[in-house]
Amino acid sequence: MNGLDRLNRKLAKLKGNQGAVERSVVGGTDGILEVLLAEIDETMLPREMILTDERGGTIKLLVASRRLMRVGAPGAPVDRPIPPRAPVNDEDDGAADIVAAVNGRLRDFLDRAQTLDIDAVRPQDAIDLTEIGCPAERLAQTLRRSGGTTPVDGIAACLAEAVAGLQLCDGEIARHVGDPDLAERLAAFAEAGLPALDRALGAPQTGPDCAILPGPGPDALLLARLSDGRRTALVLTPAAAFGRLAGLCRAMSA
Amino acid sequence: MAPPVSIKSLRESLPGCHALAYVDMEARLVLLSDAQVPLPQEAFDGLCLRARLALGDPAARAACDLFGAAAPPAEATLFRDGAWEVFVRGSVCPDEALCALLAAEAAPDLALHHLRAAVDDFAEDAGMASADLRE
């Protein structure tokens, strides 16, 4: 438990509760990721790290042999395993899944959290030896590269999140993705409603800008319009993508 | 009786919130406002205008058609000039909205959560404030 206590103390320094709101600053998520990676790098025996935010949302990290084996879905009672793949000795593919999960679900969870608690337990089930995971060292190198000078293609990432989406260039539809019926409705919105959103954003701007409008109902789709100053994505995404869209905006403007 | 929440205390409770206003989008009037550092009236007027553009017609009507919804969106989030702006329409007074200006690193979804819970309290407060002004 000494390792856990040490991690808790580190996390408390990075994201405290109530009196430490001012310490939730730019780079906070990256700082926490660094601490988690350091802890993963020191963990040999299988451990399930459970991060809990102030709203009771959780995300689980399965760690063993200095590797991150699995990133659980936030709030899900049972982790979502990575589907088995063949051949299982393709380490690059396994690592790519983990990197994507860290940059997606984990980063999203940390971005949204105001306070964090962490617990670690011995996993109930034995580690599946066919799960490859990603070594902490390699994960750190990859995250440093992706967080460094590589520009973020927010338009492509936004379209990848979409249930349906349009890519617009100079006001014209350049391509559409996803559900064709919804894409057709988006095309109608692009004519009737998008100019007002463009005006609200002061478009065209040289930098990134974004507008997000939720549909009716708690689990409704989000309407999002994201521009990098040259191209615009107009998409319908699941409501759960809100945090990732926000992260894209920050990354594009960094 | 003291109001349940003031515009200042609400702004201060939102991490990364630089400015907060309660506006009448239809009348284009800023009813209440507070800022971390003093802002010119034009900044609040701009928030009010953008709330109207994002939540009012024609964007609202087009969004209703898109979603097949009877009611227009109750909230909107903008990212412009490296900052977040979040707008939440009241249910008591649908022409009125809370508008928050947030730092880029702030969590707009958390702000939306707090503004949703508070917006209708301001409908009554702003109504009383308007009545006081008229008297």
Side-chain angles (χ1 to χ4, degrees), chain B residues 8 31 36 38 42 73 79 96 101 110 117 131:
Chain B
K8 181 179 175 62
L31 301 171
Q36 196 173 21
E42 290 77 12
F79 184 80
E96 297 175 2
L101 172 64
L110 183 68

Side-chain angles (χ1 to χ4, degrees), chain A residues 21 24-26 54-55 111-112 114 182 185-186 188-189 192-194 196-197 199-202 205 208-216 220-223 236 242-243 245-247 249-250 253, chain B residues 14-16 49-51 53-60 62-63 65-71 73-82 84-86 103-110 112-113:
Chain A
V21 167
S24 299
V25 293
V26 180
E54 72 284 0
R55 286 172 284 193
D111 279 346
R112 295 153 79 98
Q114 295 300 305
L182 289 176
R185 288 201 207 180
L186 281 170
F189 181 87
L194 191 57
L197 291 186
R199 277 187 64 204
L201 290 163
Q205 293 201 10
D209 54 41
C210 178
I212 304 171
L213 275 72
L221 295 174
L222 296 176
L223 169 65
L236 287 167
F242 188 104
L245 289 172
C249 292
R250 291 190 199 99
S253 67
Chain B
L14 301 175
L49 175 64
R50 290 190 288 280
L53 284 166
L55 294 178
D57 286 337
D65 292 343
L66 173 69
F67 289 119
E75 57 198 50
T77 303
L78 304 184
F79 184 80
R80 60 188 295 278
D81 294 334
W84 295 104
E85 293 179 356
V86 297
E105 65 269 23
D109 49 346
L110 183 68
L112 284 168
H113 173 75

Side-chain angles (χ1 to χ4, degrees), chain B residues 89-105:
Chain B
R89 182 201 302 277
S91 60
V92 175
C93 299
D95 288 337
E96 297 175 2
L98 274 171
C99 311
L101 172 64
L102 308 169
E105 65 269 23

Side-chain angles (χ1 to χ4, degrees), chain A residues 48 58 60 70-81 124-125:
Chain A
E48 194 173 57
T58 62
K60 296 176 183 176
R70 200 186 301 169
V71 178
V78 179
D79 281 349
R80 185 167 50 198
Q124 285 185 338
D125 300 321

Side-chain angles (χ1 to χ4, degrees), chain A residues 208-234:
Chain A
D209 54 41
C210 178
I212 304 171
L213 275 72
D219 298 318
L221 295 174
L222 296 176
L223 169 65
R225 168 235 182 267
L226 176 69
S227 175
D228 62 5
R230 192 168 50 89
R231 301 165 301 159
T232 298
L234 183 66

Side-chain angles (χ1 to χ4, degrees), chain A residues 86-175:
Chain A
V88 295
N89 59 353
D90 188 344
E91 183 158 329
D92 283 345
D93 282 356
D97 281 342
I98 297 295
V99 170
V102 168
N103 271 329
R105 294 201 297 274
L106 179 58
R107 195 178 277 279
D108 183 30
F109 179 83
L110 296 177
D111 279 346
R112 295 153 79 98
Q114 295 300 305
T115 62
L116 281 173
D117 287 327
I118 188 163
D119 197 4
V121 295
R122 190 171 298 175
Q124 285 185 338
D125 300 321
I127 298 273
D128 180 352
L129 294 177
T130 63
E131 287 188 29
I132 298 165
C134 183
E137 189 182 354
R138 180 172 168 194
L139 194 50
Q141 287 170 353
T142 308
L143 293 178
R144 271 197 294 273
R145 276 202 302 274
S146 64
T149 55
T150 309
V152 176
D153 186 349
I155 302 303
C158 185
L159 288 167
E161 291 279 350
V163 175
L166 306 175
Q167 183 179 324
L168 305 159
C169 291
D170 298 325
E172 299 294 324
I173 298 173
R175 72 179 176 119

